[in-house]
Amino acid sequence: MSTLGGLVWSIADQLRGVYRPHQYGGIILPFTILRRLDCLLEPTRDEVRALAREFEGGALDVQVKRKTGLTFYNTSQYDFARLLEDPEGLRANLVDYVSRFSSNIDVFERFGFETEINRLEEKNRLYLIVSQFAKVDLHPDAVPNADMGDLYEHLIYKFAEASNEEAGEHYTPRDAIRLMVDLLFAEESEALLEPGTIRTIYDPTAGTGGMLSVAEERLLERNPQARLRLYGQEINDLSYAICKSDMIGKGQDVGNIRLGDTLADDKFFDKTFDFCLSNPPYGVDWKASETAVKDECKKGGPNGRFAPGLPPVTDGQMLFLIHLAHKMRPRNEGGGRAGIVLNSSPLFNGAAESGQSEIRRWLLENDMVDAIIALPTDMFFNTNISTYIWVLDNTKQAERRGRVQLIDASGMWTKMRKGMGSKRKEVDAVARERIVKLYDAFAEAEDSKIIRNSDFGYWAITVERPLRLNFATSRAASLDDKALAKVFGKGADPAPFVAVLASMGKQIYLSQEQFVEDVRGELTTAGLKLTPAQYRHLAVALGEPDESAEIVTDSKGNPEPDTSKRDTEHIPFTYAGNTLGEATRDETIRAYFDTEVTPHAPDAWIDTKKTKVGYEIPFNRIFYKYAPPRPLAEIDRDLEEQIAKIMGLLREVEA
């Protein structure tokens, strides 16, 4: 692969001076695709030309597929060999060749290829490039489909490197894909071995098609007679073009690879699939899709793909997570499985009843989360952060129902001989087998934990403490206009009231009731009136925190909460051995409050109107291992050694 990739990329040397290095990919990639298609068409070229003289349009599509088995064709009289026979007419002939592909081959439009052909001709480089590519044999007999996919990705990597872009924006490392595919296929291993097995697989963020290609490759390794129908959607023109070209070479229906924004416009809205795979971008906002997503959320009803909740616009990962959950084949049709690579934020970001928490709640309460696997850091080309594979399943095996398996595979890796971008580690075949065995065993182990769905749920309660204030009328003179307007009303003249308050001296009141009674008496004597609500506003305005004071109450005599002491407590559904979840909500919350809060704050109470349900997956906490601190004697010994070294150096300097 390195030799072939280097050979193809070396053709870019002919572009120096005409193009800048970051522009090379726009020439090399479409020519590589064209040469691959040229080689694929070679055995049937004459037969297709004959059919084209007899049929056209849809009839020709049907006849070509029936006679040759191909889902695409080209009716031009040219190929790479014939193009070179007419150097003077090369530009026009090449444009004719590219334009005569069947309508489902739209990849060259994505590169603006005709414009580049004209520029190459103008700069006297077109013949050089075409002749160089004509020497590269990309026939499937010489370059199998798997190797061709690797070649595309090698070129993408080189292109991204030259463009100072992140290669990981376009494709996912093969080792990560193989692990995800093996995990997905693990539960259907026997069914996949049946003769003539047909399965569908879908990637809503298809990139260059790596996930789809590896899925097909892994299935055919198990069962050469199996058939995997591949579906994908991709938003990036360049990646879409490469993905579609790769699918052509695999004999897939190229109409199943579609261009567009999956979140805003699901091109497969009417389909569900046996398997789904995705590696969506991390931490990328979905502002461009916001209007369409929110509109669909509003109109889609309780069964819509975004009905569970919407995460913040700053991060769209969880939108792809619930999208995949809705693209799995329904339970009543046999069910489906999905795998998606996410960073750590979908595990726990978002407070109770936030969009993120509600998405986790929907997935867990519908028993769709089968397993979550922590991957090593430095696994991907464009990030070294922690990443996780989520495995979803809407028809779990009996022993897995109501439970989630967490696997810590962060230490299962091999160091790469040569890093690529941020990727310095890989999950090799040995590590992959170890992870899949942990998954298959479905048992408690050091690196594997089995957690009930309900264990991830909690109630977020708001704990209030009473407001205690002392009051002094002398503080009225220091009130600002905003505070005065709140007490006396906008447009009212506060001066007479402030004068009366100031005349009452500097007495400190510890009782709200006594304070209001005395102030009312003085104001009444002066012919001034306030409503009960205004007296309460006045008390708060002239109050200062004081733990020795009496509790401030509202108009109904209920304690007013001290917002500065307000606290939130998370109570696990499983607190005190509760196994009934929401069914014993009130009893569990009361038991927690009486045990954990009341002994420390006897005057506290719960604002029951603010109680919320939340879900989080504290992966790191579950796998946390306590490491005791070093003994003091050992630390002292190390310090003494370092001090001795420093003193020795000082003596050398002084000498």
Side-chain angles (χ1 to χ4, degrees):
M1 170 53 15
S2 60
T3 302
L4 180 59
L7 173 63
V8 172
W9 190 256
S10 69
I11 298 174
D13 288 340
Q14 309 298 331
L15 302 175
R16 288 184 179 177
V18 178
Y19 291 86
R20 295 182 180 276
H22 71 274
Q23 298 174 311
Y24 291 175
I27 306 299
I28 300 302
L29 286 167
F31 265 108
T32 302
I33 292 170
L34 182 61
R35 179 57 178 152
R36 175 67 167 184
L37 298 182
D38 186 71
C39 292
L40 287 169
L41 291 171
E42 182 59 36
T44 61
R45 200 182 304 277
D46 291 339
E47 187 175 7
V48 169
R49 286 170 179 163
L51 289 171
R53 288 191 288 270
E54 189 175 351
F55 302 96
E56 61 181 21
L60 180 58
D61 294 346
V62 172
Q63 290 298 323
V64 168
K65 187 170 184 179
R66 181 180 298 168
K67 300 284 187 180
T68 70
L70 295 175
T71 58
F72 76 104
Y73 53 87
N74 188 297
T75 59
S76 172
Q77 61 179 313
Y78 297 104
D79 53 40
F80 265 73
R82 292 194 65 182
L83 285 170
L84 295 173
E85 293 174 0
D86 182 11
E88 294 298 322
L90 179 58
R91 186 202 65 78
N93 297 340
L94 180 57
V95 170
D96 177 80
Y97 184 29
V98 171
S99 66
R100 290 184 180 273
F101 276 100
S102 50
S103 59
N104 55 2
I105 304 299
D106 60 349
V107 297
F108 299 105
E109 300 169 15
R110 306 301 161 190
F111 290 98
F113 195 41
E114 185 172 344
T115 300
E116 300 301 343
I117 291 172
N118 292 334
R119 185 176 178 185
L120 287 168
E121 171 70 11
E122 179 186 344
K123 300 299 182 180
N124 198 31
R125 294 292 192 280
L126 185 60
Y127 186 86
L128 287 172
I129 297 299
V130 174
S131 61
Q132 291 283 347
F133 269 100
K135 298 174 185 177
V136 181
D137 185 2
L138 296 182
H139 191 278
D141 293 342
V143 185
N145 289 329
D147 289 347
M148 195 65 207
D150 288 343
L151 173 60
Y152 285 137
E153 296 198 348
H154 172 80
L155 295 177
I156 279 283
Y157 183 83
K158 297 292 289 184
F159 173 48
E161 196 174 46
S163 303
N164 203 22
E165 291 183 7
E166 295 288 358
E169 294 291 332
H170 302 282
Y171 66 100
T172 307
R174 284 290 202 261
D175 56 328
I177 302 174
R178 290 189 181 101
L179 173 59
M180 193 187 307
V181 169
D182 285 2
L183 289 167
L184 277 192
F185 287 170
E187 286 293 274
E188 267 204 86
S189 54
E190 293 184 10
L192 293 175
L193 296 177
E194 295 176 3
T197 290
I198 299 176
R199 292 291 186 274
T200 57
I201 192 161
Y202 164 71
D203 184 351
T205 54
T208 59
M211 286 194 172
L212 297 174
S213 297
V214 172
E216 182 181 47
E217 171 191 315
R218 300 296 284 172
L219 178 57
L220 293 178
E221 285 175 4
R222 298 177 183 214
N223 182 358
Q225 296 180 320
R227 179 69 190 273
L228 199 58
R229 293 175 179 165
L230 309 180
Y231 297 78
Q233 184 166 340
E234 172 56 34
I235 193 171
N236 179 276
D237 281 19
L238 180 147
S239 298
Y240 160 79
I242 292 176
C243 179
K244 195 165 187 177
S245 303
D246 198 23
M247 294 304 114
I248 291 169
K250 299 179 190 308
Q252 291 287 334
D253 182 349
V254 293
N256 292 338
I257 306 300
R258 300 178 186 176
L259 180 67
D261 180 352
T262 298
L263 297 181
D265 182 16
D266 177 12
K267 298 293 185 182
F268 300 98
F269 67 92
D270 57 344
K271 291 185 178 295
T272 54
F273 306 92
D274 296 304
F275 301 106
C276 302
L277 288 164
S278 180
N279 177 23
Y282 310 145
V284 175
D285 70 55
W286 46 282
K287 288 180 182 176
S289 315
E290 184 176 6
T291 301
V293 168
K294 289 184 174 179
D295 187 56
E296 182 176 343
C297 184
K298 186 185 301 182
K299 297 178 180 178
N303 297 318
R305 60 176 175 154
F306 300 129
L310 298 179
V313 176
T314 52
D315 189 356
Q317 291 178 86
M318 296 191 81
L319 289 180
F320 285 102
L321 178 63
I322 53 174
H323 170 75
L324 285 193
H326 282 84
K327 301 306 288 186
M328 295 189 295
R329 194 176 299 284
R331 290 184 174 98
N332 60 2
E333 296 179 17
R337 286 168 62 79
I340 183 170
V341 182
L342 303 171
N343 66 19
S344 60
S345 65
L347 294 170
F348 50 78
N349 268 17
E353 297 188 6
S354 65
Q356 300 105 305
S357 179
E358 287 298 282
I359 290 171
R360 288 189 291 268
R361 179 180 184 177
W362 180 79
L363 290 169
L364 290 162
E365 291 186 352
N366 284 281
D367 200 17
M368 289 189 180
V369 183
D370 185 32
I372 300 175
I373 298 92
L375 298 176
T377 56
D378 301 322
M379 268 281 291
F380 292 84
F381 300 110
N382 60 337
T383 181
N384 56 9
I385 63 174
S386 298
T387 50
Y388 301 79
I389 293 176
W390 289 52
V391 179
L392 306 182
D393 191 335
N394 58 13
T395 50
K396 292 183 182 180
Q397 299 292 333
E399 69 273 13
R400 289 181 172 269
R401 289 173 193 160
R403 290 171 169 78
V404 177
Q405 183 177 14
L406 304 180
I407 297 175
D408 183 8
S410 59
M412 304 177 194
W413 53 273
T414 301
K415 186 175 182 179
M416 294 177 63
R417 185 177 60 82
K418 182 181 179 182
M420 298 177 68
S422 295
K423 183 173 175 60
R424 298 176 179 83
K425 301 173 184 175
E426 64 180 349
V427 176
D428 60 13
V430 174
R432 186 168 69 249
E433 184 178 358
R434 180 182 171 190
I435 296 166
V436 174
K437 280 185 175 179
L438 279 172
Y439 173 81
D440 281 336
F442 191 65
E444 285 281 334
E446 183 180 4
D447 300 318
S448 172
K449 305 296 179 186
I450 311 300
I451 313 293
R452 291 177 303 176
N453 293 347
S454 59
D455 289 358
F456 299 116
Y458 64 89
W459 294 287
I461 64 169
T462 300
V463 177
E464 301 284 13
R465 299 281 301 280
L467 180 64
R468 296 176 184 270
L469 300 175
N470 67 42
F471 311 94
T473 57
S474 59
R475 297 171 188 153
S478 61
L479 294 179
D480 59 25
D481 292 341
K482 185 176 180 181
L484 291 170
K486 185 174 182 181
V487 174
F488 302 110
K490 290 183 179 180
D493 181 10
F497 295 91
V498 173
V500 171
L501 294 169
S503 69
M504 292 177 65
K506 297 183 178 180
Q507 180 181 351
I508 302 295
Y509 292 84
L510 298 181
S511 166
Q512 176 191 20
E513 184 178 353
Q514 186 62 54
F515 170 78
V516 171
E517 184 180 338
D518 287 0
V519 170
R520 182 184 289 113
E522 292 294 327
L523 292 179
T524 301
T525 300
L528 300 172
K529 291 184 179 180
L530 290 177
T531 66
Q534 285 178 309
Y535 277 115
R536 287 194 299 276
H537 288 317
L538 179 62
V540 172
L542 301 181
E544 289 185 355
D546 186 341
E547 286 302 307
S548 65
E550 295 180 9
I551 295 173
V552 176
T553 58
D554 61 17
S555 59
K556 297 179 181 179
N558 299 316
E560 288 278 10
D562 185 342
T563 57
S564 68
K565 295 180 180 178
R566 181 173 292 158
D567 193 14
T568 300
E569 296 279 338
H570 287 187
I571 306 173
F573 282 0
T574 54
Y575 180 77
N578 176 37
T579 59
L580 300 177
E582 283 279 276
T584 56
R585 165 179 174 153
D586 294 342
E587 297 94 318
T588 305
I589 291 175
R590 175 49 58 186
Y592 177 93
F593 187 79
D594 291 344
T595 304
E596 308 292 342
V597 179
T598 301
H600 308 286
D603 57 357
W605 73 92
I606 301 172
D607 186 342
T608 56
K609 295 179 181 178
K610 295 180 180 176
T611 299
K612 297 179 179 180
V613 173
Y615 278 83
E616 65 176 6
I617 303 173
F619 197 101
N620 291 336
R621 192 164 71 230
I622 290 170
F623 285 96
Y624 173 75
K625 297 175 184 176
Y626 173 71
R630 296 167 62 199
L632 285 175
E634 184 180 325
I635 297 172
D636 286 342
R637 188 168 55 252
D638 288 348
L639 286 173
E640 289 171 1
E641 289 177 2
Q642 293 301 320
I643 290 171
K645 288 181 181 179
I646 293 170
M647 295 304 294
L649 292 171
L650 288 173
R651 283 193 290 270
E652 288 179 14
V653 172
E654 290 174 355

